[in-house]
Amino acid sequence: MNTSNVKKLDWKAGTLLNPVPVVMVACVGEGQNEKPNIITLAWAGTINSNPPMLSVSIRKERHSHGIISKTGEFTVNLVTKGLAWAADYCGVKSGRDVDKFKEMQLTAVAGADVRAPYIMESPVSMECRVTQVIELGSHDMFLAEILCTHVNADLVDAAGALQLENAGLVCYNHGQYQVVGGKLGFYGFSVRKKKVIKREKK
Amino acid sequence: MNTSNVKKLDWKAGTLLNPVPVVMVACVGEGQNEKPNIITLAWAGTINSNPPMLSVSIRKERHSHGIISKTGEFTVNLVTKGLAWAADYCGVKSGRDVDKFKEMQLTAVAGADVRAPYIMESPVSMECRVTQVIELGSHDMFLAEILCTHVNADLVDAAGALQLENAGLVCYNHGQYQVVGGKLGFYGFSVRKKKVIKREKK
């Protein structure tokens, strides 16, 4: 790449790591008649492979922050193009004011390992239990272990492999929701050819 | 959405949060003649808005894990379509064996606030300082404060706004690198219309 014409601007610190995931996090309070709630988050990600763990960061003032702080349980539900409108609504509105499952016509399915429900309309859901909470300033980060997953059967091919590139997942890019697009190659594609050549030489 | 035909498979726990970012993390050892190194990571994300913070999770056995553990400094560089090949190479190869900047013809630019260099060919780079390390199992998670950013001037419009949707950024989706695609709307688009109507009624 010719970089002789690249002009850089030196800016102050900002949250410019992009793209980031968009996930709908579902939870429910401890009372018997509590309505489940959903909060959409982009400050979320995988943090460990073994055991499988993820983190979600939530502002202290959010309704779901209080619920998850008490119960230590939530589900993470992936967002498709068809769910983008509902995801945005669940990120902007508060569960103190509206029943988001009802307003967005989403279906709460009882979790297997946690009391928090997962979202039927999401193609992939993960049940999670909090292991640690870290106060960072504007947000508290909830570290959580993934206990089990629920996957749409139509995304699994005949060999049993999950074809997640067919789900039309959505990411968040500097304030804009964008669909995940064209495929560039699988992990390791840059060295695969060399390996094949080496193998042939043997 | 009609969910009567949705069939769910109940799987064990897995790292199925997707899509996730792809970032090239650059670092350099403490010695005077140390060569800078790059590791590509997908277990990375924003964790706090104020102060701006991110996290990266790195396997203990990786070369960069040793360097960042000692120096507490690194840069995070966003990955475009044009950088996907180099990013994959930097994720698969080890800095113990190859000089990744040299092999991938990337340009190391001296950091302003840290000794770690950033990558000229990346459109957005963030200089980071580690605040906390959390051992999780397969990976150690490095929490870090973002100190400053470097942004390609050609991504900034006349009004000074960063147009990151024009950068052709790449995400990682269940082992596949994919370009960030079609725009669905900005944060808050699901309620914007209602707000306008309310304002007009006043």
Side-chain angles (χ1 to χ4, degrees):
Chain A
M1 194 189 286
N2 183 357
T3 56
S4 59
N5 293 323
V6 174
K7 191 181 177 310
K8 293 281 180 185
L9 301 174
D10 300 322
W11 285 0
K12 64 182 173 116
T15 54
L16 290 183
L17 199 169
N18 283 288
V20 282
V22 183
V23 292
M24 295 168 89
V25 170
C27 56
V28 67
E30 286 174 330
Q32 214 166 355
N33 296 318
E34 292 279 340
K35 280 182 182 157
N37 190 38
I38 304 169
I39 182 171
T40 301
L41 301 172
W43 293 177
T46 301
I47 58 172
N48 197 56
S49 298
N50 187 16
M53 292 182 73
L54 54 78
S55 78
V56 295
S57 290
I58 311 178
R59 287 182 186 272
K60 286 178 196 291
E61 58 268 30
R62 296 299 298 255
H63 188 50
S64 295
H65 181 284
I67 296 171
I68 295 171
S69 294
K70 280 183 190 157
T71 64
E73 296 181 347
F74 60 89
T75 68
V76 168
N77 305 272
L78 304 192
V79 173
T80 60
K81 192 178 170 182
L83 285 171
W85 178 280
D88 184 62
Y89 182 91
C90 293
V92 174
K93 289 283 186 176
S94 174
R96 291 187 192 97
D97 307 321
V98 292
D99 179 342
K100 299 184 193 177
F101 272 100
K102 189 181 165 194
E103 289 295 322
M104 292 293 107
Q105 300 183 313
L106 296 171
T107 314
V109 185
D113 294 333
V114 299
R115 274 190 69 247
Y118 66 92
I119 303 171
M120 173 71 95
E121 287 76 5
S122 169
V124 175
S125 303
M126 287 160 275
E127 298 187 23
C128 305
R129 185 166 290 136
V130 175
T131 58
Q132 193 175 346
V133 184
I134 302 174
E135 296 189 42
L136 296 173
S138 57
H139 291 66
D140 284 355
M141 181 168 55
F142 296 82
L143 278 54
E145 203 165 319
I146 303 165
L147 304 175
C148 66
T149 58
H150 307 281
V151 177
N152 273 15
D154 62 4
L155 288 174
V156 178
D157 67 18
L162 179 62
Q163 302 292 332
L164 210 45
E165 63 266 38
N166 299 333
L169 294 180
V170 172
C171 64
Y172 195 66
N173 184 15
H174 196 51
Q176 171 87 243
Y177 301 95
Q178 293 186 246
V179 180
V180 172
K183 302 176 201 173
L184 298 169
F186 273 99
Y187 175 76
F189 78 96
S190 68
V191 298
R192 203 184 310 142
K193 208 171 177 181
K194 283 182 190 168
K195 275 185 184 168
V196 172
I197 292 164
K198 274 181 192 167
R199 227 176 284 139
E200 285 168 354
K201 278 183 183 166
K202 277 177 190 170
Chain B
M1 194 188 287
N2 182 358
T3 57
S4 58
N5 292 323
V6 174
K7 191 181 176 310
K8 293 281 180 185
L9 302 174
D10 300 322
W11 286 1
K12 64 183 173 117
T15 53
L16 290 183
L17 198 169
N18 283 288
V20 282
V22 183
V23 293
M24 296 168 89
V25 170
C27 56
V28 66
E30 286 176 329
Q32 214 167 355
N33 296 316
E34 293 279 340
K35 280 180 182 157
N37 191 36
I38 304 169
I39 183 170
T40 302
L41 300 172
W43 293 178
T46 301
I47 58 172
N48 196 56
S49 298
N50 187 16
M53 292 182 72
L54 53 79
S55 79
V56 294
S57 289
I58 312 178
R59 287 182 185 271
K60 284 177 196 293
E61 57 269 29
R62 296 299 298 254
H63 187 50
S64 294
H65 181 285
I67 296 171
I68 295 171
S69 293
K70 280 181 189 158
T71 64
E73 295 180 347
F74 60 89
T75 67
V76 168
N77 305 271
L78 304 192
V79 173
T80 60
K81 194 178 170 182
L83 284 171
W85 177 280
D88 183 62
Y89 182 92
C90 293
V92 174
K93 290 284 187 175
S94 174
R96 293 186 191 97
D97 307 321
V98 292
D99 179 340
K100 300 184 194 177
F101 271 100
K102 189 181 164 193
E103 290 295 322
M104 292 295 106
Q105 300 184 310
L106 296 171
T107 314
V109 185
D113 294 333
V114 298
R115 273 190 68 247
Y118 66 92
I119 302 171
M120 172 71 94
E121 286 77 5
S122 168
V124 175
S125 303
M126 287 160 275
E127 299 186 24
C128 303
R129 184 167 290 137
V130 176
T131 58
Q132 193 174 346
V133 184
I134 302 174
E135 296 190 41
L136 296 173
S138 58
H139 291 66
D140 285 354
M141 181 167 56
F142 296 83
L143 278 55
E145 203 165 319
I146 303 165
L147 305 175
C148 65
T149 59
H150 307 282
V151 177
N152 273 14
D154 61 5
L155 289 174
V156 178
D157 68 16
L162 178 61
Q163 300 292 332
L164 210 45
E165 63 266 36
N166 298 333
L169 293 180
V170 172
C171 65
Y172 195 65
N173 184 15
H174 196 51
Q176 173 85 245
Y177 301 95
Q178 293 185 249
V179 180
V180 171
K183 301 175 201 174
L184 298 169
F186 274 98
Y187 174 76
F189 77 95
S190 68
V191 297
R192 203 183 311 140
K193 208 169 176 182
K194 284 183 191 166
K195 275 186 184 167
V196 172
I197 293 166
K198 275 182 191 166
R199 226 176 285 139
E200 283 168 355
K201 279 183 184 168
K202 276 176 191 170

